Amino acid sequence: MNDSKRKGLNSFIHSDSSDSILSAYQEDRPFYCEDLSSSISDLTQIPFLKSLDTMLDNWSDEVHVHLPDAADEASAIKTNSKEARKLFRNGMGVRFSEVNKKSPKLDSWLQSIKEDFGFSKMTYARSIVYATPANKGNAPHFDQNYNIVIQLTGNKKWWIAPNTTVANPLTRHVIGLETDPELASYTRQEFPKEMPEGAQEFTLKAGSVLFVPRGHWHMTHANEDSLALNLTFSAPTYLDTLTAALRGRLAQSPHWRESIDGLNSEEGFHIAAHKFNLLLAELKEDVKTWEAEGILAATEFAE
Ligand SMILES: [Fe+2]
């Protein structure tokens, strides 16, 4: 089979070592290949991905421009392509969201990769293009999603380190910025104040591929103007799937849909708590009959 005709995760196999993104995913470690250009040319040759200029020329939606204060997408403004071009020349990063919506080919790759990972049908898969000016980059952070980075043009450095503070985070976190309250609730230790020591270093040039596992710390620095295509996957967790199923089930009942009131008096509080306990007693009985197969069948195979 001609490699260039392959689609999906099978294209991301290191030609020298046979290492693959799928193995890296299973072992919760990065995957890097300096040059995978021949096996992913189907993607990298999508015309508008050729350069920042072709991206801007073909993009009529808003783009996000990263402001210089935080070196992170948490601090960004939305603007048009014309303004973005100027701001890039002034040293600011530009982000194009959901680029897959502009290219059926790109979208079909995303869907194939999502299936190859075995992720849920409910997974939010998208592709983002990042333009980073020379000598700029991203502050150390981790994301709650999996990320495949395909370098399109320019030379960019990445550093990746395992996250020993929290496993399977549900939200991203940037060192030096505020911690999401839910993330803080299940993080027992303090986050590091800077990129952890011993991070692996990777240099990406046109055709290089890097897989960043969910939750791993990473930071970047563009050695020259850089354009990269990211394929990101936010796959539902067991928690997400149970929560969605529970809500779907309980929403069928007018009693569960009732607004809680009376909480401003002692008597009202007890009445509300009594009603709530009756509903919980019913739920406990109901939950005993639940099977994972039934929940997954409802979320994955329902039309
Ligand atoms: Fe990131």
Side-chain angles (χ1 to χ4, degrees):
M1 185 179 179
N2 183 344
D3 272 352
S4 66
K5 299 292 177 219
R6 284 183 180 173
K7 201 165 68 179
L9 275 185
N10 276 335
S11 305
F12 297 93
I13 296 174
H14 201 294
S15 43
D16 297 335
S17 64
S18 301
D19 189 20
S20 68
I21 287 187
L22 201 52
S23 309
Y25 165 75
Q26 285 157 352
E27 293 160 21
D28 195 33
R29 60 170 170 82
F31 164 93
Y32 165 74
C33 185
E34 188 189 5
D35 183 12
L36 265 181
S37 48
S38 64
S39 48
I40 55 166
S41 58
D42 191 35
L43 269 182
T44 52
Q45 284 174 7
I46 293 172
F48 63 78
L49 296 180
K50 200 173 161 218
S51 66
L52 175 58
D53 279 334
T54 57
M55 277 302 299
L56 290 168
D57 291 346
N58 287 283
W59 196 265
S60 51
D61 296 350
E62 287 179 317
V63 295
H64 293 84
V65 172
H66 297 180
L67 300 175
D69 56 346
D72 185 76
E73 62 191 56
S75 176
I77 53 160
K78 286 182 191 169
T79 186
N80 58 33
S81 292
K82 198 175 161 201
E83 287 304 310
R85 201 186 301 262
K86 284 189 215 155
L87 293 168
F88 182 84
R89 285 195 201 115
N90 283 313
M92 287 173 234
V94 178
R95 172 166 48 101
F96 302 83
S97 296
E98 297 189 322
V99 180
N100 47 303
K101 289 189 174 167
K102 309 285 181 197
S103 162
K105 182 182 279 184
L106 191 47
D107 200 53
S108 139
W109 268 77
L110 267 181
Q111 300 314 319
S112 295
I113 294 170
K114 180 178 91 181
E115 284 171 25
D116 292 343
F117 275 121
F119 288 152
S120 162
K121 205 166 81 175
M122 316 301 279
T123 298
Y124 178 39
R126 66 192 159 136
S127 61
I128 306 165
V129 167
Y130 288 96
T132 314
N135 294 317
K136 296 292 158 91
N138 227 126
H141 68 282
F142 61 73
D143 299 302
Q144 79 284 10
N145 48 34
Y146 293 95
N147 191 9
I148 298 172
V149 184
I150 297 167
Q151 190 69 24
L152 296 168
T153 64
N155 181 303
K156 192 176 184 182
K157 270 201 167 159
W158 278 73
W159 291 264
I160 304 183
N163 187 337
T164 56
T165 312
V166 63
N168 297 328
L170 299 170
T171 40
R172 72 194 294 271
H173 176 68
V174 185
I175 288 181
L177 297 188
E178 214 173 308
T179 307
D180 168 76
E182 188 191 63
L183 175 63
S185 78
Y186 56 77
T187 304
R188 300 280 169 254
Q189 303 163 40
E190 291 253 320
F191 284 122
K193 301 275 186 283
E194 55 191 32
M195 186 72 182
E197 276 182 32
Q200 283 180 276
E201 186 180 307
F202 305 95
T203 302
L204 276 68
K205 59 184 183 62
S208 299
V209 169
L210 182 68
F211 168 68
V212 187
R214 174 183 171 195
H216 282 228
W217 294 105
H218 53 281
M219 59 181 269
T220 61
H221 177 86
N223 295 323
E224 54 193 45
D225 286 356
S226 150
L227 192 70
L229 171 68
N230 287 35
L231 311 177
T232 74
F233 302 88
S234 301
T237 60
Y238 288 98
L239 171 63
D240 295 325
T241 302
L242 175 67
T243 311
L246 186 64
R247 186 178 172 91
R249 177 86 159 182
L250 300 187
Q252 304 307 310
S253 156
H255 304 296
W256 276 105
R257 298 201 306 269
E258 198 179 310
S259 303
I260 303 179
D261 61 19
L263 297 177
N264 52 354
S265 73
E266 202 176 323
E267 193 196 354
F269 178 89
H270 287 299
I271 293 170
H274 178 67
K275 275 192 201 171
F276 207 164
N277 274 325
L278 291 176
L279 288 171
L280 287 173
E282 261 179 49
L283 176 62
K284 283 175 200 164
E285 282 306 306
D286 192 22
V287 162
K288 282 183 195 165
T289 67
W290 289 22
E291 298 282 353
E293 290 84 349
I295 297 173
L296 288 173
T299 52
E300 299 304 312
F301 305 113
E303 285 307 312

